[in-house]
PDB file of all heavy atoms in Angstrom:
ATOM      1  N   PRO A 620      -4.240  12.125 -34.973  1.00  0.00           N
ATOM      2  CA  PRO A 620      -3.909  13.385 -35.609  1.00  0.00           C
ATOM      3  C   PRO A 620      -4.272  14.637 -34.766  1.00  0.00           C
ATOM      4  O   PRO A 620      -5.189  14.546 -33.939  1.00  0.00           O
ATOM      5  CB  PRO A 620      -4.739  13.346 -36.898  1.00  0.00           C
ATOM      6  CG  PRO A 620      -5.896  12.498 -36.556  1.00  0.00           C
ATOM      7  CD  PRO A 620      -5.367  11.448 -35.589  1.00  0.00           C
ATOM      8  N   GLN A 621      -3.554  15.675 -34.985  1.00  0.00           N
ATOM      9  CA  GLN A 621      -3.805  16.935 -34.283  1.00  0.00           C
ATOM     10  C   GLN A 621      -4.901  17.715 -35.040  1.00  0.00           C
ATOM     11  O   GLN A 621      -4.715  18.838 -35.493  1.00  0.00           O
ATOM     12  CB  GLN A 621      -2.505  17.736 -34.226  1.00  0.00           C
ATOM     13  CG  GLN A 621      -2.256  18.406 -32.914  1.00  0.00           C
ATOM     14  CD  GLN A 621      -0.872  19.020 -32.856  1.00  0.00           C
ATOM     15  OE1 GLN A 621      -0.045  18.771 -33.739  1.00  0.00           O
ATOM     16  NE2 GLN A 621      -0.624  19.822 -31.851  1.00  0.00           N
ATOM     17  N   THR A 622      -6.056  17.078 -35.147  1.00  0.00           N
ATOM     18  CA  THR A 622      -7.193  17.638 -35.851  1.00  0.00           C
ATOM     19  C   THR A 622      -8.439  17.484 -34.954  1.00  0.00           C
ATOM     20  O   THR A 622      -8.407  16.854 -33.896  1.00  0.00           O
ATOM     21  CB  THR A 622      -7.458  16.880 -37.168  1.00  0.00           C
ATOM     22  OG1 THR A 622      -7.742  15.499 -36.862  1.00  0.00           O
ATOM     23  CG2 THR A 622      -6.200  16.967 -38.080  1.00  0.00           C
ATOM     24  N   ASN A 623      -9.557  18.036 -35.433  1.00  0.00           N
ATOM     25  CA  ASN A 623     -10.807  17.871 -34.705  1.00  0.00           C
ATOM     26  C   ASN A 623     -11.165  16.392 -34.544  1.00  0.00           C
ATOM     27  O   ASN A 623     -11.687  15.952 -33.541  1.00  0.00           O
ATOM     28  CB  ASN A 623     -11.941  18.636 -35.350  1.00  0.00           C
ATOM     29  CG  ASN A 623     -11.798  20.139 -35.164  1.00  0.00           C
ATOM     30  OD1 ASN A 623     -11.347  20.604 -34.112  1.00  0.00           O
ATOM     31  ND2 ASN A 623     -12.170  20.922 -36.167  1.00  0.00           N
ATOM     32  N   ALA A 624     -10.884  15.631 -35.639  1.00  0.00           N
ATOM     33  CA  ALA A 624     -11.160  14.191 -35.601  1.00  0.00           C
ATOM     34  C   ALA A 624     -10.286  13.511 -34.537  1.00  0.00           C
ATOM     35  O   ALA A 624     -10.734  12.594 -33.820  1.00  0.00           O
ATOM     36  CB  ALA A 624     -10.909  13.569 -36.978  1.00  0.00           C
ATOM     37  N   GLY A 625      -9.032  13.900 -34.437  1.00  0.00           N
ATOM     38  CA  GLY A 625      -8.137  13.358 -33.419  1.00  0.00           C
ATOM     39  C   GLY A 625      -8.592  13.696 -32.013  1.00  0.00           C
ATOM     40  O   GLY A 625      -8.572  12.852 -31.104  1.00  0.00           O
ATOM     41  N   MET A 626      -9.052  14.942 -31.830  1.00  0.00           N
ATOM     42  CA  MET A 626      -9.539  15.351 -30.505  1.00  0.00           C
ATOM     43  C   MET A 626     -10.794  14.562 -30.164  1.00  0.00           C
ATOM     44  O   MET A 626     -11.033  14.231 -28.969  1.00  0.00           O
ATOM     45  CB  MET A 626      -9.834  16.837 -30.513  1.00  0.00           C
ATOM     46  CG  MET A 626      -8.639  17.744 -30.764  1.00  0.00           C
ATOM     47  SD  MET A 626      -7.190  17.462 -29.727  1.00  0.00           S
ATOM     48  CE  MET A 626      -6.132  16.537 -30.860  1.00  0.00           C
ATOM     49  N   ALA A 627     -11.604  14.232 -31.171  1.00  0.00           N
ATOM     50  CA  ALA A 627     -12.814  13.451 -30.911  1.00  0.00           C
ATOM     51  C   ALA A 627     -12.456  12.021 -30.409  1.00  0.00           C
ATOM     52  O   ALA A 627     -13.144  11.453 -29.571  1.00  0.00           O
ATOM     53  CB  ALA A 627     -13.652  13.387 -32.165  1.00  0.00           C
ATOM     54  N   LEU A 628     -11.365  11.479 -30.958  1.00  0.00           N
ATOM     55  CA  LEU A 628     -10.920  10.168 -30.527  1.00  0.00           C
ATOM     56  C   LEU A 628     -10.547  10.204 -29.026  1.00  0.00           C
ATOM     57  O   LEU A 628     -10.916   9.288 -28.263  1.00  0.00           O
ATOM     58  CB  LEU A 628      -9.684   9.722 -31.328  1.00  0.00           C
ATOM     59  CG  LEU A 628      -9.908   9.282 -32.762  1.00  0.00           C
ATOM     60  CD1 LEU A 628      -8.565   9.023 -33.453  1.00  0.00           C
ATOM     61  CD2 LEU A 628     -10.816   8.015 -32.801  1.00  0.00           C
ATOM     62  N   ILE A 629      -9.858  11.252 -28.594  1.00  0.00           N
ATOM     63  CA  ILE A 629      -9.512  11.405 -27.190  1.00  0.00           C
ATOM     64  C   ILE A 629     -10.753  11.562 -26.345  1.00  0.00           C
ATOM     65  O   ILE A 629     -10.904  10.938 -25.281  1.00  0.00           O
ATOM     66  CB  ILE A 629      -8.552  12.582 -26.991  1.00  0.00           C
ATOM     67  CG1 ILE A 629      -7.231  12.369 -27.784  1.00  0.00           C
ATOM     68  CG2 ILE A 629      -8.257  12.794 -25.522  1.00  0.00           C
ATOM     69  CD1 ILE A 629      -6.299  13.529 -27.771  1.00  0.00           C
ATOM     70  N   ALA A 630     -11.680  12.415 -26.822  1.00  0.00           N
ATOM     71  CA  ALA A 630     -12.910  12.651 -26.065  1.00  0.00           C
ATOM     72  C   ALA A 630     -13.704  11.379 -25.916  1.00  0.00           C
ATOM     73  O   ALA A 630     -14.293  11.071 -24.855  1.00  0.00           O
ATOM     74  CB  ALA A 630     -13.754  13.729 -26.719  1.00  0.00           C
ATOM     75  N   ASN A 631     -13.767  10.543 -26.995  1.00  0.00           N
ATOM     76  CA  ASN A 631     -14.539   9.297 -26.927  1.00  0.00           C
ATOM     77  C   ASN A 631     -13.863   8.310 -25.951  1.00  0.00           C
ATOM     78  O   ASN A 631     -14.568   7.557 -25.262  1.00  0.00           O
ATOM     79  CB  ASN A 631     -14.580   8.657 -28.325  1.00  0.00           C
ATOM     80  CG  ASN A 631     -15.472   9.422 -29.273  1.00  0.00           C
ATOM     81  OD1 ASN A 631     -16.339  10.217 -28.856  1.00  0.00           O
ATOM     82  ND2 ASN A 631     -15.274   9.249 -30.555  1.00  0.00           N
TER      83      ASN A 631
END
Side-chain angles (χ1 to χ4, degrees):
Q621 221 172 350
T622 62
N623 287 325
M626 299 306 103
L628 286 174
I629 298 174
N631 289 340

